[in-house]
Amino acid sequence: MKLGEIGEFGFIGRIAARIAEGKGVRVGIGDDAAVTEVQPGYVLLTTSDMLIEQVHFDLAFTDPYRLGKKSLAVNLSDIAAMGGEPRHFLLSLAIPVDLPLEFLDRFIEGVLAMADQYGVILIGGDTCRSSAGLVVSITLHGEQLPDRVVCRAGARPGDAVFVTGTVGDSALGLAQLRQGETAGPAVDRHLDPVPRVRAGIALAEAGFATAMIDISDGLLADLGHIAERSGVGARVDAEQLPISPFFRAAASRLSTDHLALALAGGEDYELLFTAPAPLEERIIDLMAALGVMCRRIGTITAAGSGIVVTGEGGRTLAVPRAGFNHFSGT
Amino acid sequence: MKLGEIGEFGFIGRIAARIAEGKGVRVGIGDDAAVTEVQPGYVLLTTSDMLIEQVHFDLAFTDPYRLGKKSLAVNLSDIAAMGGEPRHFLLSLAIPVDLPLEFLDRFIEGVLAMADQYGVILIGGDTCRSSAGLVVSITLHGEQLPDRVVCRAGARPGDAVFVTGTVGDSALGLAQLRQGETAGPAVDRHLDPVPRVRAGIALAEAGFATAMIDISDGLLADLGHIAERSGVGARVDAEQLPISPFFRAAASRLSTDHLALALAGGEDYELLFTAPAPLEERIIDLMAALGVMCRRIGTITAAGSGIVVTGEGGRTLAVPRAGFNHFSGT
């Protein structure tokens, strides 16, 4: 069945029928605008991410269910990086006219599965025809008490730099997909990333993190964003980078620089954050209590010192710094 | 100059440099999420509209400045239709790599000119490469006291149906553009619509409107949305339709049904609303005080009576009801 057979309003109706009433939602799908509440005393956090076929995803690599999950996951990751509790989202789709309805149904199932997992509610959006590929645009609302929100701008010289989970897996997975592999833990991390929502909220509630970002552009590029907004530099110890066993095993077989993949490969959706160095043990414990590995990988340095990566014996390494830039071709 | 020469972050930086600090904005462009405040006691209104090249606009017809204005205007119109005060917005763009930077600069100027006119502030978004045409996705926040918000669902049998401004001009303008005309009042209404923000707020504050929608799909289709959500029918008197002099003059020269254009042509971005019939005079006066023409065009009828259009002598007319449906080809 094609979308044309049920029409735009039929499609929206099918989705709306699957949405439960939700906390804080006064009017959801089906009016000119959604009407929601923000808890008294809380500020509103809003993030928006657009995913474009052939730019962000390749339908030869991903199935619609995981694409739906990932579309919401990347937005959840942004709210997590502010320490916010995700609440409500809008989903806009530009749909090629010949896309099978079964594809869309599976995509929506993936979106709603991810939404259920994190307790967020679909409240609106837009649906239209695409003249080319599939376009997904999600706007996600979160909320948090204002003094708990963690921005990129709070890192101070002497702060330690931490990262959750492992880095480089997603970039490895993408490389594997391009070389014809279709499954495996790295491929899963690329196609089905896990946003660190509870870890982000816990860090915000504890008041530990001075600055935070999620790794979407690549560890060094995203650390660069923190450094720029905070007016500081940073030193990263390459030997402390958290690398998964499968990354270590597989990277050596790929014709690519193992360290560059871990430092510049994007889409890890891990949290990269800074905190006073004396809090290291408490932070590791707090994350461990949530089942999240966390490691100190470096130190914030003075303004003007840039981002420096050191290797064995503390010598400076030359590594590519640039993350993914949509218009530079890198 | 091409966008590739300044890059994604260069482009974002250029935009961010032009945004002033704004009311209710704690963190704007440049973090993982925007941080804003909603006034105590107010609810949040959120709307999102996506505009796709070759679907919603044709770069052969529109200039980038007016495309920027319209991209925000259609969202302002949605907030107006809830009676909300528009506040903050996110702008996401998928940009073809060969689009000249001058085009983008003019587009952004249009967006920001519209934003300044209505006192709304750009707080974030997303920028990426497009594999095909230009994609614009805007999410706009508004706010209002909860008991003032006007939904589609409140129309009651006996209520009068009102519409602001004139209808059909935008559809006429689009028809003229397709026939090679490039200027004129109808073309202006299509390319540069005026959202009825102050009229919507005034109706909400006065508590007059029982249901409201903006005309984007077409008068009858949008009245159908009110009827469906409210569980009522409606009767429209075709002789009361507010038709502009240039519409009347030009429509007769076009090879199209004049009445169908006024009733089913979309993108008027006028407010269509219902209110108790005895309030007619007060409503006309309230709108006139804002310089907005407003006319009663019909009456809400009982559930199950459908949408009926009557002409001279009260006889029922057969008119196309369908508005724009992205997937039906109508």
Side-chain angles (χ1 to χ4, degrees):
Chain A
M1 190 187 277
K2 293 279 189 287
L3 187 53
E5 295 170 44
I6 61 166
E8 180 182 1
F9 300 114
F11 178 63
I12 294 169
R14 278 165 76 111
I15 299 175
R18 294 160 66 170
I19 309 300
E21 301 272 305
K23 189 184 166 201
V25 182
R26 291 192 176 222
V27 180
I29 295 171
D31 220 303
D32 293 287
V35 184
T36 57
E37 292 157 13
V38 175
Q39 288 183 79
Y42 282 64
V43 287
L44 176 69
L45 308 172
T46 313
T47 186
S48 203
D49 268 309
M50 200 183 246
L51 284 82
I52 309 272
E53 186 176 341
Q54 297 306 332
V55 176
H56 298 90
F57 61 91
D58 188 328
L59 294 182
F61 293 163
T62 187
D63 58 286
Y65 185 80
R66 288 196 288 188
L67 180 62
K69 286 184 70 182
K70 183 170 179 174
S71 298
L72 185 54
V74 301
N75 283 283
L76 287 164
S77 183
D78 279 320
I79 295 297
M82 304 294 286
E85 303 195 21
R87 287 276 186 253
H88 310 128
F89 70 105
L90 295 94
L91 169 64
S92 293
L93 294 173
I95 307 170
V97 283
D98 59 352
L99 199 71
L101 193 55
E102 290 70 25
F103 181 103
L104 283 172
D105 281 340
R106 282 295 287 164
F107 173 85
I108 296 293
E109 278 170 27
V111 170
L112 296 182
M114 182 60 72
D116 283 346
Q117 194 177 337
Y118 291 93
V120 298
I121 302 161
L122 179 61
I123 55 170
D126 193 15
T127 309
C128 60
R129 181 163 49 87
S130 168
S131 53
L134 179 65
V135 179
V136 183
S137 182
I138 287 182
T139 299
L140 175 65
H141 290 155
E143 53 186 59
Q144 188 48 283
L145 293 169
D147 58 358
R148 285 182 178 170
V149 172
V150 186
C151 297
R152 297 179 179 178
R156 290 159 304 200
D159 279 356
V161 179
F162 298 87
V163 68
T164 60
T166 56
V167 293
D169 299 333
S170 176
L172 171 66
L174 180 58
Q176 289 175 338
L177 284 165
R178 286 179 174 156
Q179 294 186 4
E181 295 187 44
T182 58
V187 165
D188 285 347
R189 287 219 48 194
H190 182 71
L191 297 181
D192 195 8
V194 176
R196 297 295 191 184
V197 174
R198 278 172 283 268
I201 295 170
L203 288 165
E205 287 180 347
F208 289 163
T210 51
M212 186 151 61
I213 193 170
D214 69 321
I215 302 181
S216 55
D217 294 334
L219 191 150
L220 286 190
D222 289 312
L223 186 55
H225 295 320
I226 285 182
E228 187 189 345
R229 294 278 288 191
S230 298
V232 297
R235 196 172 59 244
V236 172
D237 181 353
E239 297 197 304
Q240 292 304 315
L241 287 178
I243 302 294
S244 67
F246 57 84
F247 181 94
R248 204 173 293 279
S252 61
R253 293 199 304 272
L254 283 165
S255 58
T256 181
D257 181 345
H258 157 277
L259 192 60
L261 211 54
L263 288 168
E267 298 209 81
D268 289 312
Y269 299 108
E270 295 294 349
L271 294 177
L272 177 69
F273 61 97
T274 61
L279 294 177
E280 179 174 348
E281 196 177 335
R282 292 175 66 187
I283 286 170
I284 306 294
D285 289 348
L286 178 67
M287 293 293 98
L290 296 171
V292 175
M293 205 177 80
C294 182
R295 188 183 283 180
R296 178 176 178 176
I297 60 164
T299 304
I300 294 297
T301 56
S305 46
I307 309 286
V308 175
V309 180
T310 60
E312 206 179 340
R315 70 192 159 78
T316 300
L317 302 178
V319 286
R321 272 200 52 190
F324 189 72
N325 177 324
H326 274 280
F327 302 100
S328 73
T330 57
Chain B
M1 189 187 277
K2 291 279 188 286
L3 187 54
E5 294 171 45
I6 63 168
E8 181 182 0
F9 300 115
F11 177 63
I12 296 170
R14 279 164 75 111
I15 298 175
R18 294 159 67 170
I19 309 298
E21 301 272 306
K23 187 184 167 202
V25 182
R26 291 193 175 219
V27 179
I29 294 171
D31 220 301
D32 293 285
V35 184
T36 57
E37 293 157 13
V38 175
Q39 289 184 78
Y42 282 63
V43 287
L44 176 68
L45 308 172
T46 313
T47 187
S48 202
D49 267 309
M50 201 182 245
L51 284 82
I52 311 272
E53 187 176 341
Q54 297 308 333
V55 176
H56 298 88
F57 60 90
D58 187 328
L59 295 182
F61 293 162
T62 187
D63 57 287
Y65 185 79
R66 287 196 288 188
L67 179 63
K69 286 183 71 182
K70 182 170 180 174
S71 299
L72 185 54
V74 300
N75 283 284
L76 288 164
S77 183
D78 279 321
I79 296 297
M82 304 294 286
E85 302 195 22
R87 287 277 185 251
H88 310 127
F89 70 105
L90 296 93
L91 169 65
S92 293
L93 294 172
I95 306 169
V97 284
D98 59 352
L99 198 73
L101 193 54
E102 290 71 23
F103 181 101
L104 283 172
D105 281 340
R106 282 295 286 165
F107 173 85
I108 297 293
E109 278 169 26
V111 171
L112 297 182
M114 183 59 72
D116 284 347
Q117 192 178 338
Y118 291 92
V120 297
I121 302 161
L122 179 61
I123 56 170
D126 193 15
T127 310
C128 61
R129 180 165 50 88
S130 168
S131 53
L134 178 64
V135 179
V136 182
S137 182
I138 287 182
T139 299
L140 175 64
H141 290 155
E143 53 187 58
Q144 188 49 282
L145 292 170
D147 58 359
R148 285 182 179 170
V149 172
V150 186
C151 297
R152 296 179 180 179
R156 291 161 301 200
D159 279 356
V161 179
F162 298 87
V163 66
T164 60
T166 56
V167 292
D169 299 334
S170 177
L172 170 68
L174 180 58
Q176 289 175 337
L177 285 164
R178 287 181 173 153
Q179 295 188 2
E181 294 187 45
T182 58
V187 165
D188 285 347
R189 287 220 47 194
H190 182 72
L191 298 180
D192 195 8
V194 176
R196 296 293 191 186
V197 174
R198 277 171 285 267
I201 295 170
L203 287 164
E205 288 181 346
F208 288 164
T210 52
M212 186 152 60
I213 193 169
D214 69 321
I215 301 181
S216 56
D217 293 334
L219 191 151
L220 287 190
D222 289 312
L223 186 55
H225 296 320
I226 285 182
E228 188 190 343
R229 296 279 288 191
S230 299
V232 296
R235 196 173 58 244
V236 173
D237 181 352
E239 298 199 301
Q240 292 304 315
L241 287 178
I243 302 295
S244 67
F246 57 85
F247 180 93
R248 204 174 293 279
S252 61
R253 293 198 303 271
L254 282 166
S255 57
T256 181
D257 181 346
H258 157 275
L259 191 61
L261 211 55
L263 288 169
E267 298 210 81
D268 287 313
Y269 299 109
E270 295 294 348
L271 295 176
L272 177 69
F273 61 98
T274 60
L279 293 176
E280 180 174 348
E281 197 179 335
R282 291 175 67 187
I283 286 169
I284 307 294
D285 288 351
L286 178 68
M287 294 293 97
L290 296 169
V292 174
M293 205 176 80
C294 182
R295 186 183 285 180
R296 178 175 178 179
I297 59 164
T299 304
I300 293 297
T301 56
S305 48
I307 309 286
V308 175
V309 181
T310 59
E312 207 179 339
R315 68 192 160 79
T316 300
L317 303 179
V319 287
R321 272 200 52 190
F324 188 73
N325 177 324
H326 273 282
F327 301 101
S328 72
T330 60

